[in-house]
Amino acid sequence: MGKPNTTPYPDLANPDYVNRSLAIACTRGREAVVVRFRDIFHRQDFSEQQWRVLRILFDQGAMTATDICKQSCIHKVSMSRILKSLEKRDFVERSTSECDNRSALVQLTQQGVELLDPLVEEAAVIHREITREFGPEKYQLLLTLLRELAEINETPRTPE
C-alpha cells in the first residue's frame, strides 16, 4: 500500500512528478547534450564551465568577466576561480579596458586560440550530429522555447 499524501505540495508526492518536472526535464536534456562533449573536456583537462568560458571568448572575442558570467550562466565567484585557472594555463589573459580603467577585458591568448581552433570544429561536428538525430525543426524549436523560457525572469512579475 502506498504512503498517504501528507505534503502540502501534492505534485511532489505524485510518483509521476519526476516525468513532469520542468527542472528535471531540463537537466536530463542538458545531460544528453553535455555527455557528447565530455571526451573533449577530459582530453584537454577542462571542466564543462571552463569550456563554456573558452568557447564564448572564441566566438565573441574579448569581454569583461561580468559579461562572461551573464553569457555562460556562471556565478562571479566561480568565474574568478575559472579565469585564474585558465590564465595559469596561458589560455586567457586580462587587460585593462580602454573605456574604463576599473574594468578588465578577458580574451584568449594565441595559445588559447590555437588550442580551440580544432576543438571548435570537433564541437561543430557533435552539434550537427545532435541536430540530425533530434531533427532540425525540433532542434530550432527547442532553442527558441528555451530562449523564451530564460527571458521570463527578465521582465518584472506582477503580483496576482
Side-chain angles (χ1 to χ4, degrees):
M1 186 138 197
K3 214 166 115 178
N5 180 5
T6 58
T7 176
Y9 306 101
D11 280 351
L12 297 178
N14 184 331
D16 196 40
Y17 168 77
V18 142
N19 293 320
R20 295 181 297 106
S21 166
L22 180 59
I24 292 172
C26 286
T27 301
R28 286 178 175 166
R30 179 184 173 283
E31 183 62 21
V33 172
V34 171
V35 72
R36 294 179 183 231
F37 292 87
R38 287 221 169 95
D39 182 53
I40 294 173
F41 306 157
H42 290 297
R43 264 195 340 255
Q44 300 302 328
D45 194 27
F46 290 151
S47 68
E48 182 209 336
Q49 290 181 324
Q50 289 172 327
W51 169 256
R52 272 191 272 163
V53 169
L54 291 168
R55 184 60 198 260
I56 287 167
L57 291 171
F58 185 87
D59 290 343
Q60 298 183 21
M63 62 178 62
T64 66
T66 301
D67 288 337
I68 300 169
C69 288
K70 289 176 190 172
Q71 295 276 333
S72 65
C73 298
I74 297 173
H75 190 273
K76 63 183 178 181
V77 174
S78 296
M79 183 60 66
S80 177
R81 179 181 41 79
I82 290 165
L83 291 176
K84 283 178 188 170
S85 172
L86 294 173
E87 280 179 306
K88 190 181 272 189
R89 294 174 69 182
D90 196 32
F91 295 143
V92 302
E93 60 189 2
R94 297 183 218 211
S95 58
T96 305
S97 170
E98 292 176 10
C99 303
D100 181 357
N101 286 338
R102 298 168 297 170
S103 181
L105 289 177
V106 181
Q107 64 186 15
L108 291 176
T109 62
Q110 185 59 39
Q111 181 176 327
V113 171
E114 290 170 7
L115 173 77
L116 269 282
D117 257 335
L119 298 179
V120 166
E121 182 52 41
E122 187 177 347
V125 170
I126 294 168
H127 278 287
R128 286 192 295 270
E129 289 171 0
I130 292 169
T131 303
R132 182 184 52 76
E133 290 176 35
F134 193 60
E137 296 82 16
K138 288 195 313 187
Y139 181 88
Q140 286 305 316
L141 177 60
L142 180 61
L143 285 177
T144 299
L145 293 172
L146 289 171
R147 268 189 228 105
E148 289 176 14
L149 180 62
E151 290 170 3
I152 67 171
N153 288 329
E154 293 177 13
T155 55
R157 289 183 276 182
T158 55
E160 292 180 20

